[in-house]
């Protein structure tokens, strides 16, 4: 049976831990395994612009002995003339895996349905699961075991990163807090899924409207851009709605003294986070960015082993 990684809860707690363990091993020895030797090709498809995703997957595939085939949907039939399922049936006969950074989660689901090679969500409007593997890896490196830690996301609660933090954090047994305005709450279905997972792992899910209350005494503080791709026309209103959710030195001081600050980047400095925090001693954003490489390599190795 082919395994895919379309959203964070596609992995059980044990499977998530296995991938993070492997990521740590691959970070120590980047060329430890070569499942793509041959070389085999991995299709990496982009509907959206990218820096970290493009670089980390291209380098990671090469590290694993393979060839990254970078495809822009603007210059392919997937851009409008061909369905995701038909594209997948073409690609699966020529590539070892498919990575897609896209808009609608439904497109990824259609591509994965019946496909004989692993399909990986490199970002969709609803989830960013590869980033969460990197974030959990970073937290684990700096803070030890994940289970029992408390993490607060501050800002746009309807963000794809929030949905992934809810699912991945609950899977890891963490206490996940989301601080957001009422009009920016995460999808109810995702919250319900995360709560169901947390009941089994010992984690918890709490939604706050007050960022001060949400950040008090936590181990990790996270934020993301307030104006994601495709929402630029909403910038003025979003700045008004989210202004009190900026992560500054005063807010960060409410967390534990050893608390970490994470941001998936790119950052709009001065908006969702101040330069004092993102460049400060608690920030681990550069480790986080590097860990996209190691986490995604581990994910690809794991998925190929399941197949």
């Amino acid at each position: 049976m082919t395994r895919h990684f379309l959203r964070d809860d596609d992995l059980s707690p044990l499977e998530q831990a296995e991938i993070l363990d492997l990521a740590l091993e691959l970070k120590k020895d980047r060329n430890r395994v070569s499942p793509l030797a041959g070389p085999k090709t991995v299709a990496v498809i982009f509907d959206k612009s990218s820096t970290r995703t493009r670089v980390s997957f291209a380098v990671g595939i090469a590290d694993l002995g393979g060839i990254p085939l970078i495809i822009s949907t603007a210059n392919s039939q997937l851009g409008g003339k061909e369905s995701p399922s038909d594209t997948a049936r073409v690609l699966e006969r020529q590539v070892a895996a498919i990575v897609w950074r896209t808009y609608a989660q439904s497109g990824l689901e259609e591509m994965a349905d019946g496909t004989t090679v692993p399909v990986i969500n490199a970002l969709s409007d609803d989830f960013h699961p590869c980033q969460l593997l990197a974030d959990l890896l970073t937290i684990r490196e700096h803070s030890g075991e994940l289970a029992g830690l408390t993490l607060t996301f501050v800002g746009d609660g309807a963000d794809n990163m929030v949905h992934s933090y809810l699912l991945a954090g609950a899977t890891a047994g963490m206490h996940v807090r989301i601080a957001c305005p009422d009009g920016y709450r995460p999808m109810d279905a995702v919250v319900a899924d995360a709560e169901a997972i947390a009941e089994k792992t010992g984690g918890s899910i709490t939604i706050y409207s007050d960022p001060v209350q949400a950040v008090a005494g936590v181990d990790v503080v996270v934020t993301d851009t307030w104006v994601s791709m495709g929402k630029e026309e909403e910038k003025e209103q979003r700045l008004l709605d989210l202004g009190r959710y900026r992560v500054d030195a005063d807010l960060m001081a409410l967390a534990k003294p050893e608390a970490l600050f994470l941001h998936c980047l790119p950052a709009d400095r001065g908006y969702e986070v101040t330069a004092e925090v993102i460049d400060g001693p608690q920030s681990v954003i550069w480790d986080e960015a590097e860990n996209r490489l190691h986490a995604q390599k581990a994910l690809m190795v794991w998925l190929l082993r399941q197949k």
Side-chain angles (χ1 to χ4, degrees):
M1 176 182 174
T2 303
R3 293 288 299 272
H4 305 290
F5 190 53
L6 307 185
R7 43 185 277 169
D8 307 80
D9 55 352
D10 284 339
L11 301 175
S12 70
L14 179 60
E15 291 169 342
Q16 183 193 75
E18 287 177 357
I19 291 171
L20 294 177
D21 287 343
L22 179 57
L24 288 171
E25 294 176 13
L26 295 178
K27 188 169 183 176
K28 294 177 183 177
D29 183 359
R30 284 179 53 169
N31 303 112
R32 181 171 175 271
V33 294
S34 301
L36 295 173
K40 299 176 183 177
T41 300
V42 174
V44 189
I45 308 170
F46 290 95
D47 291 356
K48 298 183 177 184
S49 60
S50 169
T51 299
R52 277 152 294 280
T53 298
R54 184 183 298 266
V55 172
S56 57
F57 268 111
V59 173
I61 292 163
D63 281 355
L64 297 176
I67 297 174
L69 174 62
I70 308 298
I71 301 171
S72 168
T73 50
N75 299 313
S76 71
Q77 300 298 344
L78 185 58
K81 292 185 178 180
E82 189 168 59
S83 68
S85 58
D86 285 354
T87 297
R89 293 182 69 180
V90 172
L91 291 176
E92 68 184 11
R93 298 190 176 207
Q94 302 177 63
V95 303
I98 301 170
V99 179
W100 192 9
R101 180 180 176 95
T102 187
Y103 292 93
Q105 183 74 13
S106 59
L108 283 155
E109 293 169 355
E110 180 184 343
M111 179 170 281
D113 187 25
T115 304
T116 60
V117 298
V119 175
I120 297 172
N121 179 359
L123 178 144
S124 71
D125 287 344
D126 293 341
F127 303 101
H128 199 354
C130 288
Q131 180 67 57
L132 256 292
L133 288 177
D135 288 9
L136 294 180
L137 179 62
T138 306
I139 297 167
R140 185 168 153 180
E141 283 183 312
H142 287 271
S143 300
E145 290 302 315
L146 299 171
L149 295 179
T150 301
L151 175 149
T152 294
F153 183 101
V154 182
D156 179 3
D159 184 90
N160 54 5
M161 285 294 294
V162 170
H163 295 145
S164 280
Y165 265 113
L166 289 168
L167 296 178
T171 300
M174 301 175 73
H175 303 290
V176 181
R177 302 177 179 181
I178 308 300
C180 61
D182 287 340
Y184 292 80
R185 291 173 64 88
M187 291 189 292
D188 290 340
V190 176
V191 173
D193 288 343
E195 288 175 338
I197 296 169
E199 287 182 5
K200 298 177 181 178
T201 63
S204 65
I205 304 298
T206 313
I207 311 297
Y208 294 82
S209 59
D210 181 4
V212 171
Q213 184 182 9
V215 170
V218 303
D219 301 285
V220 185
V221 178
V222 189
T223 191
D224 190 13
T225 179
W226 292 342
V227 186
S228 299
M229 285 180 284
K231 298 180 179 179
E232 289 80 6
E233 73 282 356
E234 302 174 13
K235 182 174 182 178
E236 184 175 347
Q237 186 61 51
R238 283 175 166 267
L239 295 184
L240 290 173
D241 294 341
L242 294 163
R244 66 186 286 252
Y245 294 85
R246 177 178 293 110
V247 179
D248 57 18
D250 289 340
L251 186 65
M252 196 70 196
L254 300 176
K256 290 181 179 178
E258 68 275 16
L260 305 176
F261 172 78
L262 277 74
H263 191 308
C264 66
L265 302 176
D268 291 322
R269 292 165 179 263
Y271 289 97
E272 74 271 10
V273 60
T274 62
E276 184 179 8
V277 171
I278 200 169
D279 295 325
Q282 292 170 281
S283 175
V284 291
I285 62 168
W286 308 121
D287 291 343
E288 180 186 7
E290 178 192 342
N291 280 338
R292 285 291 299 277
L293 170 66
H294 310 299
Q296 288 164 185
K297 284 173 63 178
L299 172 66
M300 288 187 285
V301 171
W302 190 88
L303 288 171
L304 291 168
R305 285 176 178 171
Q306 307 311 303
K307 186 174 184 296

